[in-house]
């Protein structure tokens, strides 16, 4: 009887551990976002998040159903650690609910933006792939600038039929004016990214709070078939846009570009903040 009890207890422990590992895998391999543009993405031992329009990349710990954001730094020769804790209330492949359970005063933080993390009593997130906002685009124009390093400066325009106009400038390869055409599969991938990037909400509701001076500036201009326009200028973009910028910055790897016989007239931004000179 005792052996049977031990076997039952062991099977329960194994089952709980298996469920915990499965939940942790779902958590760390999924991009999470909600309609307020709160966002979480895990990358190895780091977490990139955006809460209340406040963006940070920090370390994290995950144990059972406890998630903590951590930042280590040195102050006056001493190593310091700041930590903000959440309880995972619910998780499945499509939905995540976390509850702030931090016991420290927000004023005790120097590095972590605790006031943004503690703004809500609980946060409800959805799998990025399930929170769709369709973008019926006619043309997509993208400009990127240089930075203090070797960030490539380029302009890209993609039409709905897949036609690509490209101009590579400082630190960009190839350099010069080119033209090409995306395959149907690449157009599908681009539409998939666009429909999951919350562009309309970012255009209307998101404001960059940080004041960076060492990062490239990105401009997105999306002309829609209904005559509306989405326009975003930033040098510290919302992290949900990272897949879109990665697609556009690597356009030369997705399409066979040929030298253009004439220079293309790329659409320019009408927004003044973080505007890229053409």
């Amino acid at each position: 009887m005792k052996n049977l009890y031990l076997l039952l207890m062991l099977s329960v422990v194994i089952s709980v551990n298996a469920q915990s590992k499965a939940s942790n895998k779902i958590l760390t391999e999924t991009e999470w976002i909600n309609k307020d543009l709160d966002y979480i993405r895990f990358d190895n031992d780091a977490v990139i998040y955006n809460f209340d329009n406040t963006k940070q990349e920090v370390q994290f710990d995950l144990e059972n159903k406890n998630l903590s954001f951590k930042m280590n730094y040195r102050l006056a020769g001493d190593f310091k650690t700041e930590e903000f804790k959440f309880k995972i209330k619910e998780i499945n492949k499509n939905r995540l609910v976390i509850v702030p359970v931090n016991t420290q005063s927000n004023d005790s933080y120097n590095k972590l933006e605790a006031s943004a993390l503690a703004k809500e009593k609980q946060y409800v997130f959805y799998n990025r792939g399930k929170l769709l906002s369709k973008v019926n685009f006619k043309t997509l124009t993208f400009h990127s600038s240089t930075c203090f390093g070797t960030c490539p400066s380029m302009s890209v325009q993609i039409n709905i039929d897949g036609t690509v106009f490209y101009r590579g400038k400082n630190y960009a390869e190839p350099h010069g004016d080119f033209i090409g055409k995306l395959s149907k599969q690449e157009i599908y991938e681009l539409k998939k990214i666009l429909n999951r990037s919350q562009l309309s909400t970012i255009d209307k509701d998101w404001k960059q709070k940080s004041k960076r001076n060492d990062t490239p500036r990105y401009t997105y201009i999306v002309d829609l078939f209904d005559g509306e326009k989405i326009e975003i200028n930033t040098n510290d973009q919302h992290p949900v846009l990272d897949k879109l910028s990665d697609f556009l910055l690597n356009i030369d790897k997705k399409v066979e570009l040929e030298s253009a016989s004439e220079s293309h007239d790329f659409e320019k931004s009408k927004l003044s903040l973080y505007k890229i000179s053409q």
Side-chain angles (χ1 to χ4, degrees), residues 137-140 156-160 163-164 182 190 248 251:
F137 83 100
K138 183 166 59 176
T139 62
L140 164 63
V156 178
Q157 179 183 315
I158 302 176
N159 296 345
I160 187 60
T163 301
V164 175
L182 291 172
L190 176 59
L248 296 166
I251 194 68

Side-chain angles (χ1 to χ4, degrees), residues 46-97:
V47 57
I48 299 96
Y49 69 80
N50 185 91
F51 281 70
D52 191 31
N53 284 359
T54 300
K55 174 183 172 182
Q56 283 192 297
E57 180 174 346
V58 299
Q59 294 177 307
F60 74 95
D61 278 339
L62 180 59
E63 185 175 356
N64 297 325
K65 289 197 171 185
N66 297 297
L67 171 66
S68 62
F69 294 171
K70 300 176 69 175
M71 184 172 284
N72 301 313
Y73 61 98
R74 179 174 287 184
L75 181 65
D78 296 326
F79 284 102
K80 302 287 186 180
T81 298
E82 293 182 2
E83 183 176 22
F84 192 97
K85 298 178 181 180
F86 298 92
K87 186 73 174 178
I88 300 174
K89 183 178 178 181
E90 176 189 337
I91 183 169
N92 57 55
K93 64 180 181 179
N94 294 324
R95 178 180 158 100
L96 168 69
V97 181

Side-chain angles (χ1 to χ4, degrees), residues 208-220:
Q208 179 181 320
K209 286 188 175 181
S210 61
K211 296 182 178 180
R212 305 290 298 273
N213 60 8
D214 59 345
T215 53
R217 289 167 289 163
Y218 293 156
T219 290
Y220 303 88

Side-chain angles (χ1 to χ4, degrees), residues 23-30 32 42 62 67 88 91 96:
S23 295
N24 290 351
K25 183 178 174 66
I26 291 172
L27 176 68
T28 57
E29 293 184 358
T30 304
W32 302 99
F42 297 88
L62 180 59
L67 171 66
I88 300 174
I91 183 169
L96 168 69

Side-chain angles (χ1 to χ4, degrees), residues 52-209:
D52 191 31
N53 284 359
T54 300
K55 174 183 172 182
Q56 283 192 297
E57 180 174 346
V58 299
Q59 294 177 307
F60 74 95
D61 278 339
L62 180 59
E63 185 175 356
N64 297 325
K65 289 197 171 185
N66 297 297
L67 171 66
S68 62
F69 294 171
K70 300 176 69 175
M71 184 172 284
N72 301 313
Y73 61 98
R74 179 174 287 184
L75 181 65
D78 296 326
F79 284 102
K80 302 287 186 180
T81 298
E82 293 182 2
E83 183 176 22
F84 192 97
K85 298 178 181 180
F86 298 92
K87 186 73 174 178
I88 300 174
K89 183 178 178 181
E90 176 189 337
I91 183 169
N92 57 55
K93 64 180 181 179
N94 294 324
R95 178 180 158 100
L96 168 69
V97 181
I98 58 175
V99 179
V101 292
N102 211 51
T103 56
Q104 291 180 245
S105 164
N106 291 344
D107 296 334
S108 65
Y109 290 90
N110 293 312
K111 298 293 184 178
L112 279 175
E113 296 286 350
S115 58
L117 298 174
K119 183 180 179 183
E120 304 293 340
K121 292 183 178 180
Q122 74 172 21
Y123 293 91
V124 180
F125 292 93
Y126 301 93
N127 184 322
R128 172 186 173 157
K130 299 299 180 181
L131 193 63
L132 302 181
S133 177
K134 190 170 182 179
V135 178
N136 192 16
F137 83 100
K138 183 166 59 176
T139 62
L140 164 63
T141 303
F142 172 74
H143 301 287
S144 69
S145 77
T146 58
C147 57
F148 286 174
T150 57
C151 306
S153 174
M154 65 173 66
S155 296
V156 178
Q157 179 183 315
I158 302 176
N159 296 345
I160 187 60
D161 66 355
T163 301
V164 175
F165 297 97
Y166 169 92
R167 178 176 297 153
K169 293 173 279 188
N170 294 340
Y171 303 113
E173 289 293 340
H175 191 276
D177 287 282
F178 294 84
I179 190 170
K181 191 159 187 176
L182 291 172
S183 66
K184 290 183 179 180
Q185 180 61 33
E186 292 293 357
I187 295 172
Y188 170 78
E189 289 300 322
L190 176 59
K191 288 180 177 178
K192 187 176 176 181
I193 293 171
L194 287 170
N195 292 340
R196 290 160 173 77
S197 293
Q198 303 300 313
L199 289 171
S200 294
T201 306
I202 290 175
D203 182 28
K204 295 174 184 176
D205 300 333
W206 181 77
K207 302 296 181 185
Q208 179 181 320
K209 286 188 175 181

